[in-house]
Amino acid sequence: MSLNDPQWGKRGGGGPPDLDEIWRNVNRRMSELFGRKPPQEPHEGGPPPGGVPVAGLMWLVALVIVIWVASGFYIVDAGRRGVVTRFGRYTETTLPGPRWHLPWPVEAVQLVDFSQVKTIEIGYRNTPKNKIDAEAVMLTEDENIIDIEFAVQYNLKSAADYVFNNRQPDQIVAYVAESAIREVVGKSKMDFALYEGREQIANQAQQLMQQMLDRYRTGVFVQQVTLQNVQPPDKVQAAFDDAVKAGQDRERLKNEGQAYANNVVPRARGMAARLLEEANGYTSEVVQRAEGDTQRFDQVLTQYEKAPEVTRERLYLDTMQSVLANTSKVVVDQKNAGNLLYLPLDKLIDHASSVASPATPESPPAASDSGSGSSAGKAGASAAGSSDGTSGYDPSRSRDALRNREGR
């Protein structure tokens, strides 16, 4: 078809659709939808008749109002809170469930996760190996430097404070945590922070953080502060390990010395108590023996005053008996001859020694001389007298021996 053909652009044939006709069909359908009469063909030389009906406009306004009111419905999930504002000012906090508020732009709602436990890491990220030196390095009271890595777990206790009172509450929690832990560590010794005081430092930092966050009205509740790693800086780690080892050796030696003292001191005290008891017993023994000797001397003196000769002889015999009982020598009277007798001198001497000192070992037996003649009889008599003297003194025998000597 040529471009000069008058049928170009019209329906029919195999050409494209007429755009004017499509536009008229769309307008007709919209007019029918809103109650308008279908447009008539325009008259030549005048404007097209018709206009917009009032009923259609009312239905349109009502539909818009219904959609606007329905947009105020919202649902608060479990564990969340809804913060409602009216023209930007806080109005209320809604609990979980279906809720409604005046639609925008009168009121707006912001849903806040109220039950989620958040964690902020100070001194490291993700793992303790990824250390942040600017946050981890801290100064102690004794002017030593240590690296502290810890984590803070917190949730919300006031949604309104969390949303309105601070612009970046999570960042404020991180700043407060770092400030609190530096204050607590700055009041503690290095050894206390490294060993026995870790739990106490964490508790003090948690309390101080909560006080600061409440003062700032952040609406945050600190649940727990956990110290992940507390150690000296890496550059002085070797020297610090040597110091720790020396301290452990010191404690070990102190414990060993204390154990030795606990073993020796009671034993020494027991020995001292025993020596004191022995000394007291010896004192009592000596005093009682002296008193007994005094009483015996008084009795002998009384008897001596009554019979001096007899008492003198008795004292002589008692003394000789006590002296000869403890000697290994045998005294034989050689003036008077007698029959030759065999006496077991060695057994007699051993018997006298065992009676005189039972705690001492036995002395070697003395050899007897079988060729002593008549002196053996006198030696047996003397040994027998010594043996009898060890078992006790008999006054009648002493008087008989004295009479025999005077008769001779």
Side-chain angles (χ1 to χ4, degrees):
M1 181 181 292
S2 177
L3 295 175
N4 296 325
D5 190 354
Q7 298 297 326
W8 176 259
K10 295 183 180 180
R11 299 186 63 182
D18 190 0
L19 297 180
D20 294 337
E21 184 178 358
I22 292 175
W23 178 251
R24 285 194 299 269
N25 291 335
V26 172
N27 289 335
R28 185 177 64 253
R29 292 179 182 275
M30 293 295 295
S31 298
E32 292 176 355
L33 179 63
F34 292 103
R36 296 174 58 188
K37 294 181 179 180
Q40 299 179 356
E41 293 294 333
H43 297 277
E44 295 180 358
V52 179
V54 178
L57 183 60
M58 295 295 292
W59 279 106
L60 180 60
V61 173
L63 180 61
V64 172
I65 292 175
V66 170
I67 295 175
W68 181 74
V69 172
S71 65
F73 288 97
Y74 65 97
I75 297 177
V76 181
D77 297 333
R80 291 175 176 267
R81 297 293 186 272
V83 180
V84 181
T85 58
R86 182 175 301 168
F87 298 111
R89 184 176 182 179
Y90 170 75
T91 302
E92 63 176 346
T93 301
T94 57
L95 299 177
R99 303 292 174 181
W100 181 83
H101 68 92
L102 293 176
W104 185 89
V106 180
E107 290 184 352
V109 62
Q110 181 177 355
L111 299 179
V112 180
D113 194 345
F114 204 76
S115 61
Q116 180 184 4
V117 178
K118 301 180 180 180
T119 303
I120 291 181
E121 298 168 344
I122 306 298
Y124 71 102
R125 296 296 182 269
N126 298 328
T127 60
K129 294 182 179 180
N130 298 330
K131 185 173 64 174
I132 308 299
D133 293 333
E135 299 178 357
V137 177
M138 300 183 185
L139 188 65
T140 61
E141 183 181 7
D142 51 359
E143 299 182 356
N144 289 316
I145 298 176
I146 59 175
D147 292 341
I148 294 183
E149 302 172 3
F150 67 100
V152 179
Q153 296 179 350
Y154 67 96
N155 59 355
L156 304 183
K157 66 177 181 179
S158 176
D161 293 341
Y162 182 80
V163 173
F164 293 104
N165 292 336
N166 299 277
R167 291 185 177 180
Q168 297 178 349
D170 295 332
Q171 190 67 30
I172 291 177
V173 173
Y175 292 154
V176 168
E178 186 176 353
S179 176
I181 198 69
R182 288 184 184 278
E183 180 177 349
V184 175
V185 172
K187 296 179 180 180
S188 303
K189 301 290 185 180
M190 181 177 182
D191 294 338
F192 180 78
L194 291 175
Y195 301 109
E196 67 272 11
R198 300 182 62 175
E199 183 176 358
Q200 185 175 352
I201 288 176
N203 295 333
Q204 292 179 359
Q206 179 178 350
Q207 296 176 2
L208 184 58
M209 283 183 59
Q210 191 63 58
Q211 294 175 3
M212 297 173 66
L213 293 173
D214 293 343
R215 192 183 310 121
Y216 297 154
R217 298 178 62 187
T218 57
V220 173
F221 175 72
V222 180
Q223 290 190 348
Q224 187 178 6
V225 176
T226 305
L227 296 182
Q228 300 291 344
N229 190 14
V230 180
Q231 63 181 8
D234 297 335
K235 296 180 181 179
V236 296
Q237 184 67 41
F240 185 80
D241 292 340
D242 294 339
V244 171
K245 185 177 180 181
Q248 294 176 354
D249 293 340
R250 180 187 61 187
E251 294 298 328
R252 179 177 57 82
L253 294 176
K254 288 174 61 178
N255 294 333
E256 291 179 357
Q258 187 65 34
Y260 179 75
N262 294 336
N263 184 24
V264 172
V265 171
R267 187 183 302 174
R269 291 176 179 175
M271 186 179 297
R274 181 175 60 82
L275 293 176
L276 288 175
E277 294 296 332
E278 291 179 356
N280 294 331
Y282 178 75
T283 302
S284 301
E285 179 184 358
V286 171
V287 172
Q288 293 178 1
R289 184 182 301 172
E291 292 177 352
D293 292 341
T294 303
Q295 294 177 0
R296 186 173 64 254
F297 181 78
D298 293 339
Q299 295 177 359
V300 170
L301 178 60
T302 304
Q303 297 297 328
Y304 182 79
E305 292 176 350
K306 295 179 180 180
E309 296 296 332
V310 176
T311 305
R312 187 182 298 110
E313 186 68 21
R314 178 182 175 183
L315 292 175
Y316 172 76
L317 294 176
D318 290 342
T319 302
M320 294 302 295
Q321 183 176 359
S322 61
V323 171
L324 296 177
N326 297 324
T327 183
S328 59
K329 295 181 180 181
V330 178
V331 180
V332 180
D333 188 5
Q334 297 180 356
K335 294 181 179 180
N336 299 323
N339 296 327
L340 179 62
L341 299 176
Y342 172 74
L343 296 176
L345 299 179
D346 53 350
K347 295 183 179 181
L348 293 176
I349 293 173
D350 293 341
H351 178 69
S353 300
S354 62
V355 173
S357 56
T360 58
E362 295 181 357
S363 60
S368 60
D369 188 4
S370 59
S372 58
S374 61
S375 61
K378 297 296 183 180
S382 176
S386 300
S387 176
D388 294 337
T390 57
S391 61
Y393 172 72
D394 190 0
S396 60
R397 293 181 58 189
S398 300
R399 288 193 294 269
D400 293 340
L402 181 60
R403 294 191 186 96
N404 291 333
R405 290 180 61 185
E406 291 177 353
R408 292 177 183 179

